[in-house]
Amino acid sequence: EAGVAQSPRYKIIEKRQSVAFWCNPISGHATLYWYQQILGQGPKLLIQFQNNGVVDDSQLPKDRFSAERLKGVDSTLKIQPAKLEDSAVYLCASSFTGAGNIQYFGAGTRLSVL
Amino acid sequence: LAKTTQPISMDSYEGQEVNITCSHNNIATNDYITWYQQFPSQGPRFIIQGYKTKVTNEVASLFIPADRKSSTLSLPRVSLSDTAVYYCLVGASYNTDKLIFGTGTRLQVFP
């Protein structure tokens, strides 16, 4: 069974530039999550989708971050404009609906903002 | 919110049993307890999940006392490849307020 796919694996940009990350969840998983993980910390939930609807985006900095999951499968997370403090690993995870907390994570995208 | 507290780090030697305890005093009735493992440059990986009593799989055991205010992840006979960060997560899928990862426990296994 294929896991959660993310791309790119690494991205280096300058501050004020824009960047986008892509995630393809495990087939059949209705719930998709985006996390931000800063070095030395645990992942922090940015946004959760149930199919193509947003369940929770309370910790998403909406002035610069946006995310979509138009067809209820793939998702993109965008940052525009990026700040130095956005340097982190961005993780995508997916799960079946009602599966408790069993989330399956991708390898993440490491973003460096210079 | 069901906040969790874990030791920041632990050291062990190959072949020993390692027990990592997580405190979650405010756990709610419908909350599950889930543990993840994370290696450098990888996303967290599900290890085990439980609701009460004891759960065992091919990788680990999870012990949950009757009051559910804590849980213990037990790794039998660890090897060098078990060196990783271990996260305790308490919550239920539909209540995203409770999907909170702490800083985890950094386990270092020595030869």
Side-chain angles (χ1 to χ4, degrees), chain A residues 9-10 31 33 35 37 40-43 45 48 50 55-56 58 91 95-107 110, chain B residues 32-34 36 38 40-46 49 87 89-104 106:
Chain A
R9 287 284 281 126
Y10 305 93
T31 307
Y33 313 81
Y35 288 86
Q37 186 171 26
Q41 299 181 18
L45 180 67
Q48 177 181 341
Q50 184 82 9
V55 174
D56 183 359
S58 58
L91 295 162
S95 69
F96 285 112
T97 301
N101 286 341
I102 303 177
Q103 299 178 24
Y104 298 85
F105 285 79
R110 181 176 298 277
Chain B
Y32 291 91
I33 300 161
T34 313
Y36 289 86
Q38 186 175 27
S41 301
Q42 295 185 25
R45 182 177 72 120
F46 169 79
Q49 182 183 70
Y87 295 99
L89 184 66
V90 175
S93 179
Y94 289 102
N95 188 339
T96 60
D97 287 343
K98 297 184 179 181
L99 291 174
I100 299 173
F101 282 81
T103 53
R106 186 171 301 275

Side-chain angles (χ1 to χ4, degrees), chain A residues 12-54:
Chain A
I12 301 173
I13 62 172
E14 294 186 349
K15 60 183 179 183
R16 291 187 289 273
Q17 286 187 324
S18 63
V19 64
F21 313 124
W22 173 82
C23 173
N24 185 17
I26 292 173
S27 177
H29 281 191
T31 307
L32 185 146
Y33 313 81
W34 282 102
Y35 288 86
Q36 179 192 61
Q37 186 171 26
I38 293 172
L39 187 64
Q41 299 181 18
K44 183 183 84 170
L45 180 67
L46 293 176
I47 188 168
Q48 177 181 341
F49 291 94
Q50 184 82 9
N51 296 308
N52 61 349
V54 175

Side-chain angles (χ1 to χ4, degrees), chain B:
Chain B
L1 298 177
K3 182 180 177 180
T4 60
T5 302
Q6 305 174 233
I8 294 175
S9 64
M10 295 182 68
D11 292 336
S12 183
Y13 292 93
E14 282 191 296
Q16 290 190 333
E17 179 184 74
V18 171
N19 296 308
I20 306 174
T21 297
C22 179
S23 173
H24 29 79
N25 292 317
N26 297 325
I27 189 169
T29 302
N30 61 344
D31 282 345
Y32 291 91
I33 300 161
T34 313
W35 286 78
Y36 289 86
Q37 174 192 55
Q38 186 175 27
F39 298 112
S41 301
Q42 295 185 25
R45 182 177 72 120
F46 169 79
I47 300 176
I48 196 166
Q49 182 183 70
Y51 183 78
K52 61 180 179 180
T53 63
K54 176 184 175 183
V55 179
T56 298
N57 61 23
E58 64 278 6
V59 176
S61 294
L62 179 60
F63 297 92
I64 305 169
D67 66 5
R68 305 202 325 126
K69 292 184 183 299
S70 67
S71 59
T72 299
L73 174 72
S74 181
L75 305 172
R77 296 184 299 281
V78 294
S79 64
L80 296 176
S81 62
D82 293 316
T83 294
V85 178
Y86 293 82
Y87 295 99
C88 169
L89 184 66
V90 175
S93 179
Y94 289 102
N95 188 339
T96 60
D97 287 343
K98 297 184 179 181
L99 291 174
I100 299 173
F101 282 81
T103 53
T105 298
R106 186 171 301 275
L107 173 66
Q108 179 69 54
V109 180
F110 296 96

